[in-house]
Amino acid sequence: MAFSHIVRFTFLLVLSASLVFASEPSPLQDFCVADNTSPVFVNGVACKNPNLVTADDFTFSGLDKPGNTNNQQGFAANLVTVDQFPGLNTFGVTVERLDFAPKGLNSPHSHPRASEVLTVIKGSLYVGFITTDNKLFSKVMNKGDVFVFPIGLVHFQFNIGDCDVEAFSVLSSQDPGVVRIANSLFGANPAISDDILSKAFMLDKKTVDYIRSQF
């Protein structure tokens, strides 16, 4: 009986520790403004000397300017990370401006280290994410609407209208990462074998080569 209690206690201890360390660590001081010139390699960015920190370190300007959507996807993203905004360091957050031309698409992708909360500022977006059991949750979003994309799940945003769309996102990591599905599979370097892609997508190799040429 005593042994079973020890095993149960050990299991709960390990589980609790896993939950505690499953997200970015909390700051241990009021702030840790990033020192992007530091040669020290840490999980994050080394702190700037607090005596050299100014209010400018906690300010970023530029999200009022629309991105250039003159591209194949009709989409532009201005992701503001700790590299551009040192004051974000250790706070586990990133901000992003998203601009869509008419019929513009933020192609299916995932953020391996962050959930995302998106707010539509102007226009309408069709947004959605796919769960690990391939269920699609989607919605048409209008000005002022908010949608959350769970961490790690494939998601997208598409401008269904005939006018430009502006949106803002907040992501729950200072380095959320992005994996674009099509780019990763057809634009990998070195390239993924034609045999693998042909079988995975049930396409002939000529079609695979054509798709690959677009990336």
Side-chain angles (χ1 to χ4, degrees), residues 20-140:
V20 167
F21 292 107
S23 59
E24 296 182 5
S26 300
L28 299 177
Q29 58 276 322
D30 288 343
F31 54 79
C32 172
V33 171
D35 180 0
N36 289 315
T37 65
S38 173
V40 177
F41 186 81
V42 295
N43 185 24
V45 184
C47 299
K48 185 177 182 179
N49 184 333
N51 295 325
L52 302 178
V53 171
T54 70
D56 288 340
D57 291 310
F58 302 101
T59 306
F60 178 86
S61 299
L63 289 183
D64 59 316
K65 300 177 178 63
N68 181 10
T69 58
N70 185 24
N71 53 61
Q72 191 174 22
Q73 299 292 327
F75 167 73
N78 184 0
L79 180 65
V80 182
T81 68
V82 69
D83 292 330
Q84 299 85 25
F85 194 177
L88 291 178
N89 195 36
T90 74
F91 292 155
V93 66
T94 297
V95 294
E96 180 178 34
R97 173 175 174 145
L98 309 173
D99 288 284
F100 300 79
K103 309 306 179 188
L105 172 69
N106 187 4
S107 62
H109 62 283
S110 67
H111 301 293
R113 294 181 290 275
S115 299
E116 176 179 359
V117 179
L118 177 143
T119 304
V120 177
I121 304 300
K122 181 179 73 173
S124 297
L125 282 177
Y126 173 60
V127 308
F129 66 85
I130 301 94
T131 65
T132 53
D133 58 356
N134 296 324
K135 184 174 182 179
L136 171 65
F137 289 85
S138 63
K139 187 83 173 176
V140 174

